[in-house]
Structures are given as C-alpha cells and as structure tokens.
Amino acid sequence: MTGTESAGAGPAAATGQPPSVIEDALVFTLADPERALIQVSLDCDDAVLGRRRFRRTTSGWLLSIPRPDLNRLEYRLVVSNRGGVTEVICDPANPERVQTAFGQRSVALMPGYERPGWLRRDVSPGSTQEITVEARAGDDGSGIEIPVTIWSPAGLAADAAARLLVVHDGPEYVALADLTHYAATVISDHAVPPFRLACLHPVERDPWYAANPDYVQAELDALDHVVASVPTTDRWVALGASLGGLTSLLVALSGADRFGGVMAQSGSFFSSDLDPQESSYPYFARVVDAVSRLEQVEHVDRPLQVALTCGRLEENFANNDAMASALADHGHLVVFAPVQDLHNYTAWRDALDPTLTDLLQTVWSTGWVTG
C-alpha cells in the first residue's frame, strides 16, 4: 500500500448511503460521481465472509457481502485515486463511528442491535487517584514501575474499605468501554456493593501480559502496595480482555487467597492445535506453555468464580471454549457467555452487563445487603 493512512474523509469527499441489510446481504456503497477513484475495498475482520473489492456503478461503488452473524461490524474503506494515492478512511456516508484501540472505525449496525441501557443513565463520575507502584519482578529482586489509576464511586469515603475490581488495560477499558460509567451505574442501582477500580496501565503490554510469570508476581506485589493505602475487603475480582484476559486469569489463580473471581473477555488462551495462525507471535510459545499448564491442573482447593465472554466468530472462540471446559473440570465455577461481536472494546463493553454484574454479585454477596 502506498500513501498515508487516516480516518478522514478521504481523497474524494464523497457521500452516499450508510450500509444496509437487504435480505441476507450487507450492502456498502460509496458515491464517486466524478470517477476520481480507481479502486475501493472493505477493510474489516477476516472472520467476515465475502469479497472485499467493490465494483463500480454508474454513480460510484458497491459491495454486497453475506450478512455476518454479528450485532455490529467495525470497518473502514481502502480507496485509491487516479493520482496513485491510497488511503484508509472511515465511511463518509455513515455517521456511526467508534473510537478503538487502533483509531476510529465506521460501524454497520445490524437490525435489532441495542446499546446497553446503562449508557443512557445519568450518574456521578466518581473520582480518580493516580499512583505509581514500584514492584518486584523476578527472583533477582529487580523492580518495575506499574502506574495505577484508582477509581472510587461518589459517596465512598476515602478511608472506607470497599471491594476491588482489578482491571488490566485499565485506561483503555475506561476510555473505550465506559467502565467507570458502568461501575457507577451498578453501584447506584444497588446491584452490587460499592467497589473501587484499580486500573493497571499496560506500559509494556506484550512483554508483561503474554504469560510472563515475573509480571504476574510483580502485579501481586503492586496490589499489596495499592491496598496498603486504599482500604479494601477481601475477594478481589480481576478483569481483562485478550492478553489482559489471560493475565487476569493467571493473576487470580496465583493470588487465589486474595481473589474470588475473574472475568476474561476474548482471552488469548493460545494452544498449538487451535491457534497455529498465531505461531509467529513472539511470545506464542510462552503463552502456549502457560495455557497447557492451566489445562493440566487436576483439581483446585480454592475455586474461583470465572466468567468468560468471547465473540462466536472470533479466532479465540475455540480456545475460550476449551479453557471454560478445563476450568470447570478443575472445580472452578464457570460461566461462558458467547456474544455476537468480534475482538473489540465495544463488544467487551456490551458484555459487562449482565455477565460481570452477575459475577460481582456472586463473589461479593457474603455479608452484603442491598440498600
């Protein structure tokens, strides 16, 4: 590909129609009345079937693909003009956009899709505190710095002990999955007891989150420092997605005396048999070894409440299904909730309720009475 990549309007400030579902097809159009473009293609997840290249029409470009079995589809357009410039753009005719971890995307919404009702609720945003914790990493006693954003709900006194939700990729979960809004809503509704978020920053995401035992120990050490200054009760819950989902499970299992539950969304539970397409990933062998050790455990003395969510069409679906079965066989209490979306923060946001809500209620129900 030549030229630049952007999320702007593209070389042709074209208009047209947003994507539409016609019978069993999802149809995209792009207006090009001046015939300024020489090629248009769809950029979306490989799980979506059908061709990618648009065909020219009398007024622009058109693409029809089989309607994907999804609630929504994030996509961009790859457009090339006669001057030899190729750009990756959002669909200028579609006002539905989403900010992702990799920039802005257009969104095709399928009939019947509804955003979570809690997004419309007017709740207090709560307060945040930024700290950086020096934690031990490895047997040599070397240290790493882990930035943590601590969120507290409105009305919770600074010296009041509260439950703790430990969030991997914390800032992304807040910005892209509205996690603090979700937390404020379920607390306001008395669906769960008041809790704080410990939002961990992924400073070196792949080296840290790809089944790194030194990082797991460092995080547990860091959390001990966090709760020394922020009062908490026991039975913490870990939350994470993708590699963060894997790390959430590893941390919760390693700190089972402190954790009561874990929710992993689209966890990267790679295995050699199910995920050969990931074999070029630099930390593939380390992840595979860690997952294999998890699956070989015969029984656990301290079972966790575990919730897994994953898109049905994701590459990770098979390994999530296998992990759910393995954890249940070990004695953990497992809920596996497939979703009609792919590997993205909106999918993870949409699955927070009821899956995470139910998990928090179960883990934190002892000694708590709704107000």
Side-chain angles (χ1 to χ4, degrees):
M1 182 182 296
T2 60
T4 60
E5 178 173 315
S6 73
T15 58
Q17 298 295 322
S20 58
V21 173
I22 302 176
E23 296 181 346
D24 294 328
L26 178 60
V27 180
F28 301 84
T29 62
L30 179 66
D32 182 22
E34 298 182 356
R35 302 176 73 85
L37 303 176
I38 60 171
Q39 184 172 300
V40 179
S41 299
L42 180 68
D43 173 33
C44 68
D45 194 285
D46 290 341
V48 176
L49 301 178
R51 59 181 295 170
R52 295 294 189 262
R53 185 171 294 187
F54 285 57
R55 64 176 178 86
R56 190 189 291 277
T57 66
T58 56
S59 59
W61 300 84
L62 181 142
L63 174 66
S64 177
I65 64 173
R67 176 181 173 175
D69 189 18
L70 300 169
N71 287 330
R72 50 187 297 283
L73 173 64
E74 298 179 3
Y75 71 97
R76 294 183 298 178
L77 303 178
V78 184
V79 296
S80 301
N81 68 15
R82 297 187 181 279
V85 176
T86 296
E87 290 188 286
V88 184
I89 66 171
C90 285
D91 187 342
N94 185 3
E96 288 288 343
R97 305 281 174 90
V98 64
Q99 189 65 36
T100 77
F102 305 100
Q104 196 175 63
R105 299 289 188 271
S106 293
V107 185
L109 301 179
M110 307 301 161
Y113 170 73
E114 294 184 4
R115 294 175 177 83
W118 54 262
L119 283 172
R120 300 188 294 271
R121 295 286 301 280
D122 184 13
V123 292
S124 173
S127 60
T128 59
Q129 175 186 357
E130 305 288 343
I131 64 173
T132 298
V133 180
E134 175 111 11
R136 290 177 286 108
D139 295 335
D140 61 359
S142 60
I144 61 172
E145 291 186 344
I146 302 178
V148 184
T149 301
I150 300 171
W151 175 87
S152 299
L156 182 65
D159 59 352
R163 278 75 171 180
L164 187 69
L165 179 61
V166 178
V167 188
H168 300 88
D169 294 305
E172 288 80 5
Y173 255 104
V174 171
L176 304 177
D178 299 286
L179 183 62
T180 55
H181 192 96
Y182 160 81
T185 302
V186 293
I187 293 170
S188 176
D189 287 347
H190 303 289
V192 297
F195 64 94
R196 294 185 176 93
L197 304 176
C199 296
L200 306 174
H201 294 234
V203 178
E204 299 182 41
R205 189 173 193 274
D206 284 282
W208 284 6
Y209 285 3
N212 184 338
D214 288 344
Y215 174 76
V216 170
Q217 185 55 52
E219 180 180 316
L220 291 171
D221 185 49
L223 291 172
D224 285 340
H225 285 81
V226 169
V227 301
S229 56
V230 180
T232 67
T233 60
D234 58 3
R235 297 182 65 77
W236 306 340
V237 174
L239 170 66
S242 194
L243 284 173
L246 171 63
T247 299
S248 294
L249 181 58
L250 293 173
V251 167
L253 290 171
S254 297
D257 57 331
R258 286 165 282 185
F259 282 89
V262 56
M263 177 158 164
Q265 301 194 274
S266 304
S268 298
F269 305 125
F270 300 155
S271 74
S272 298
D273 293 339
L274 296 175
D275 306 283
Q277 75 282 357
E278 300 286 356
S279 60
S280 62
Y281 176 59
Y283 301 100
F284 181 72
R286 194 168 76 186
V287 172
V288 168
D289 287 346
V291 170
S292 178
R293 288 194 297 272
L294 287 177
E295 293 178 339
Q296 290 172 6
V297 173
E298 293 186 0
H299 181 72
V300 293
D301 295 326
R302 299 177 66 91
L304 293 170
Q305 298 284 342
V306 180
L308 305 178
T309 74
C310 191
R312 294 182 186 274
L313 300 185
E314 284 192 57
E315 288 184 345
N316 278 353
F317 187 82
N319 64 52
N320 273 250
D321 190 29
M323 180 57 70
S325 296
L327 292 172
D329 288 345
H330 303 162
H332 298 290
L333 305 173
V334 182
V335 172
F336 182 31
V339 299
Q340 299 303 113
D341 207 319
L342 292 168
H343 199 87
N344 59 73
Y345 271 100
T346 299
W348 303 329
R349 179 200 71 186
D350 290 358
L352 292 175
D353 188 65
T355 307
L356 179 58
T357 307
D358 292 344
L359 175 69
L360 299 181
Q361 288 175 340
T362 303
V363 175
W364 294 338
S365 60
T366 303
W368 172 64
V369 179
T370 60

